[in-house]
Amino acid sequence: MEKDKPLAGAVALVAGATRGAGRGIATELGAAGAIVYVTGRSTRATRSDMDRPETIEDTAEQVTAAGGQGIPVPCDHSDPAQVAALITRITGAHDRLDLLVNDIWGGDPLSEWGTPFWQLDLTKFQTMWQRAVLTHLITSQHVAPVMIARKRGLIIEVTDGLGHDYRGNLAYDLTKTTVNRLALGQAEELRPHGITALAVTPGFLRSEAMLELFGVTEANWRDGTEKDPHFIASETPHFVGRVIAALAADPTVHTRTGQVLSSWDLAEEYSIDDVDGRRPHWGRYFATM
């Protein structure tokens, strides 16, 4: 195994890797040498109801360009049959799956910020729950037996926040907090089998959608502080991708099972910088707000 390719030969699945954190994670796993299956509902042939231009094929090409092997597979993770077929394909080709990153979200068009809980659209909340919680559970259900058979593996739930503070909207808060609990529950039940499960949260994510919202690009992203001064503490999707790649390569990762970890703390521990050379620390910045 090459020193600069600590995940060479490892087989990973990033569920929900079309854009944002999922794309950054998949790409950085590729940079570490992994074979990365990239899944989502947005392809070059068909857009999902997110109606954005990013596709799983684009992400897979970035994985390969970074030094890994990107394999795009269309998959609606709310459909157990599609997930079962996906895992069968992966195990048929490699006979194992070393890492699952559950990053499925799709809740942006369903979020009702500024709406009190007694006025929430429950249909939207149910759809958000299905997309951002049940999809994670369905995928883990199909992956766990594969990992148990080898008595090794890592499942990472990508969340938003450490779960200590209210997230400003009950539907959003319940959804993201539940993802943290998914990590804890999986960790407890997989512990006897030697499998690790944990959650990782990025900070203020400078995703494609956020850059578009602020009317900036990665080249001039600091101009976005005119709309939100807190944008100065933001991070690219590659930042959380790099810390997750470091976690996956860490032989002591099982000591963290069940925990909710942050990109900023892990970056300090592993001495990791973002692609622009900065080392943002959302936790420290947030404490001064």
Side-chain angles (χ1 to χ4, degrees):
M1 184 179 296
E2 300 177 36
K3 185 177 180 181
D4 62 343
K5 300 287 185 184
L7 298 179
V11 181
L13 165 60
V14 181
T18 311
R19 61 186 66 86
R23 173 172 286 188
I25 293 164
T27 302
E28 292 300 333
L29 291 174
I35 299 166
V36 186
Y37 283 80
V38 174
T39 64
R41 297 179 298 138
S42 297
T43 70
R44 288 174 180 167
T46 307
R47 285 192 181 191
S48 73
D49 59 350
M50 298 295 289
D51 196 27
R52 289 195 54 84
E54 302 87 11
T55 69
I56 57 173
E57 292 91 347
D58 297 337
T59 300
E61 288 178 358
Q62 291 185 23
V63 171
T64 302
Q69 180 182 355
I71 304 172
V73 182
C75 184
D76 181 344
H77 286 261
S78 67
D79 181 353
Q82 291 189 41
V83 176
L86 167 67
I87 303 308
T88 297
R89 173 175 172 175
I90 295 172
T91 55
H94 308 282
D95 197 34
R96 73 184 198 278
L97 180 58
D98 302 299
L99 170 64
L100 165 63
V101 179
N102 273 323
D103 184 53
I104 309 149
W105 167 230
D108 286 339
L110 304 167
S111 300
E112 298 181 280
W113 297 106
T115 303
F117 75 85
W118 57 92
Q119 294 178 0
L120 288 174
D121 184 328
L122 294 182
T123 299
K124 288 183 177 180
F125 177 37
Q126 287 175 328
T127 303
M128 180 188 292
W129 188 267
Q130 181 183 42
R131 287 184 179 179
V133 177
L134 292 182
T135 54
H136 291 218
L137 179 58
I138 290 167
T139 306
S140 290
Q141 280 189 323
H142 286 84
V143 168
V146 176
M147 293 182 171
I148 289 170
R150 299 182 67 239
K151 297 188 181 301
R152 60 178 299 176
L154 172 62
I155 296 174
I156 296 179
E157 297 288 340
V158 179
T159 185
D160 185 11
L162 297 171
H164 307 318
D165 301 304
Y166 183 56
R167 302 314 308 277
N169 175 274
L170 188 57
Y172 187 89
D173 184 85
L174 285 173
T175 300
K176 292 302 183 181
T177 303
T178 300
V179 171
N180 294 350
R181 297 298 293 184
L182 271 175
L184 175 63
Q186 290 176 89
E188 290 302 311
E189 297 193 16
L190 290 170
R191 193 187 304 273
H193 303 283
I195 314 301
T196 303
L198 52 83
V200 176
T201 178
F204 194 158
L205 195 69
R206 209 153 66 238
S207 65
E208 301 92 343
M210 191 60 67
L211 289 170
E212 185 177 290
L213 178 66
F214 284 6
V216 294
T217 66
E218 186 56 33
N220 69 335
W221 70 267
R222 288 174 177 80
D223 293 345
T225 58
E226 296 176 8
K227 288 190 175 182
D228 186 341
H230 304 313
F231 203 50
I232 196 63
S234 64
E235 63 195 58
T236 76
H238 290 271
F239 193 55
V240 68
R242 289 178 173 183
V243 301
I244 283 179
L247 272 176
D250 189 337
T252 69
V253 68
H254 189 64
T255 62
R256 305 174 187 270
T257 197
Q259 296 179 14
V260 181
L261 308 170
S262 68
S263 61
W264 53 91
D265 284 335
L266 289 169
E268 292 290 326
E269 180 176 344
Y270 290 118
S271 298
I272 289 172
D273 294 330
D274 207 340
V275 292
D276 57 5
R278 297 166 59 251
R279 189 177 296 174
H281 196 294
W282 179 249
R284 188 159 52 235
Y285 178 87
F286 186 79
T288 66
M289 291 168 56

